[in-house]
Amino acid sequence: MTEKLKVIYMGTPDFAVPPLKRLIADGYDVRLVVTQPDKARDRGKKVQATPVKAAALEAGIEVAQPEKVKNNAEFIEEIKEIAPDIIIVAAYGKILPVELLEIPRLGCVNIHASLLPRFRGAAPINRSIMAGDEETGITLMYMAEGLDTGDMIAKASVKIERKNAEELHDELSELGAELLSEYLPRIASGDISPEKQDDALSCYAPMISKEEGHVDFTKSASSIDCFVRGMPKRPGAYTDYCGVQMKIRGAEASDRTSESAPGTIIDVDEKNIYVACGEGVLAITDIQMPGKKSVKVSDYLRGNSIEKGVVLV
């Protein structure tokens, strides 16, 4: 490290924890961690600290949780008083105003979980899987007024293969920490050549709504395979089985064929539920019924049955 930078770190969910821990381990002077306000989470609806807040407090770092950052003169003044050399952002969850971006002498640097300009926005990990992309990665970028439009500092890529959203999330989080650790000394010394994004190649990754989790069996089995792996646990991919919502937690395109209407359960064996799609057949391997835990189909069938011929809607 060429110098001991004075850092403000902004992040909220689990994704943002490894980069924060790496900054601390690398010896940077993290003066303040900014995260979203505590919220009620999970089934018990207990108010819990954000993962980033918990990590910061464990390390003895001061935490700020402003309700808003835009038009918040008191918060902006607090940041100015700290006079950070750089602000590092990872999945903070709010768009930062220009007056904040202009404070640090080295700028604001964002750890974004896609290979920009592809999948700007809130849900790049999920969207990359759902789109059937072969690879994705991390982009280290300067923050600008637009949504993930700033100049790119560095990229690192990974193969998606058959990873689900949770697996890819964890891999990219660690990769983000590594990329930040590698390039932060270079940012401090000016040994970088930022690259402008080609807006013509951009696409967006909007937040995923509950309604979006509904499986459309008129699509191909391969696209539904990607959809199931890409959906977050909440809401998850789901369908209706005999009037009951059945969440599909694991599935893959099979080599079977069928002339049945899309959504028809054409077969059930000891491990899979086979469903006709608009193209091909989907093998469902893991399901979750209301009020129950996610289980393998093989485990579910030990005490329950799935009827062939039923149409999932």
Side-chain angles (χ1 to χ4, degrees):
M1 186 168 59
T2 55
E3 58 180 298
K4 191 171 184 179
L5 295 180
K6 191 191 305 180
V7 177
I8 288 178
Y9 187 79
M10 303 181 73
T12 299
D14 289 320
F15 178 85
V17 172
L20 172 59
K21 289 186 174 180
R22 189 58 181 264
L23 281 171
I24 297 167
D26 285 351
Y28 290 99
D29 182 12
V30 183
R31 289 292 180 91
L32 179 70
V33 166
V34 184
T35 189
Q36 295 269 23
D38 298 341
K39 293 181 180 179
R41 304 173 193 277
D42 302 325
R43 289 184 179 180
K45 298 301 180 183
K46 291 183 179 180
V47 175
Q48 298 179 32
T50 71
V52 164
K53 178 181 179 179
L57 293 178
E58 184 179 350
I61 299 172
E62 182 182 351
V63 175
Q65 295 179 278
E67 288 288 343
K68 64 177 184 176
V69 292
K70 189 176 182 180
N71 298 323
N72 187 339
E74 183 179 349
F75 174 69
I76 295 297
E77 189 58 35
E78 180 182 1
I79 301 302
K80 287 180 177 179
E81 288 179 5
I82 294 173
D85 295 307
I86 193 168
I87 294 177
I88 305 295
V89 182
Y92 173 57
K94 291 182 184 293
I95 295 177
L96 304 187
V98 174
E99 58 182 337
L100 179 61
L101 300 180
E102 293 176 343
I103 293 173
R105 66 179 182 84
L106 295 174
C108 294
V109 172
N110 184 40
I111 304 169
H112 185 76
S114 81
L115 298 174
L116 291 171
R118 186 163 176 78
F119 291 129
R120 297 169 174 172
I125 297 174
N126 308 90
R127 299 294 179 184
S128 65
I129 298 174
M130 293 162 74
D133 288 4
E134 292 185 358
E135 68 173 10
T136 185
I138 291 289
T139 302
L140 206 61
M141 57 174 288
Y142 283 115
M143 298 185 72
E145 193 169 359
L147 179 61
D148 299 325
T149 57
D151 292 352
M152 302 177 293
I153 299 166
K155 292 182 181 180
S157 63
V158 298
K159 296 294 184 182
I160 294 178
E161 299 169 324
R162 289 202 51 77
K163 296 161 190 166
N164 62 31
E166 289 75 29
E167 293 165 338
L168 191 57
H169 168 281
D170 292 349
E171 182 176 6
L172 290 178
S173 178
E174 294 294 341
L175 183 62
E178 291 293 330
L179 199 63
L180 179 65
S181 179
E182 178 183 354
Y183 274 86
L184 199 45
R186 295 178 60 176
I187 292 170
S189 65
D191 181 27
I192 55 171
S193 300
E195 177 187 354
K196 290 193 176 297
Q197 296 187 44
D198 185 347
D199 290 340
L201 299 177
S202 69
C203 64
Y204 285 85
M207 289 283 286
I208 295 173
S209 67
K210 181 178 180 180
E211 292 73 24
E212 195 175 350
H214 188 250
V215 178
D216 180 1
F217 286 102
T218 65
K219 295 184 177 180
S220 69
S222 59
S223 67
I224 298 173
D225 175 348
C226 294
F227 178 78
V228 170
R229 286 187 288 111
M231 283 297 295
K233 284 188 175 180
R234 293 183 181 179
Y238 61 87
T239 187
D240 183 286
Y241 172 77
C242 297
V244 176
Q245 186 184 90
M246 179 173 74
K247 291 194 174 182
I248 302 174
R249 294 302 194 185
E252 59 184 324
S254 76
D255 56 6
R256 294 197 182 195
T257 60
S258 175
E259 299 297 325
S260 298
T264 303
I265 297 176
I266 62 168
D267 194 15
V268 181
D269 64 18
E270 66 275 8
K271 291 184 178 181
N272 303 305
I273 302 166
Y274 296 94
V275 183
C277 302
E279 179 183 330
V281 173
L282 187 74
I284 299 174
T285 59
D286 300 76
I287 60 174
Q288 183 177 5
M289 292 301 196
K292 305 294 183 180
K293 294 182 179 179
S294 175
V295 294
K296 295 285 185 184
V297 166
S298 56
D299 293 332
Y300 181 80
L301 292 175
R302 290 196 180 103
N304 305 275
S305 63
I306 295 290
E307 299 297 326
K308 289 193 289 185
V310 170
V311 179
L312 302 178
V313 295

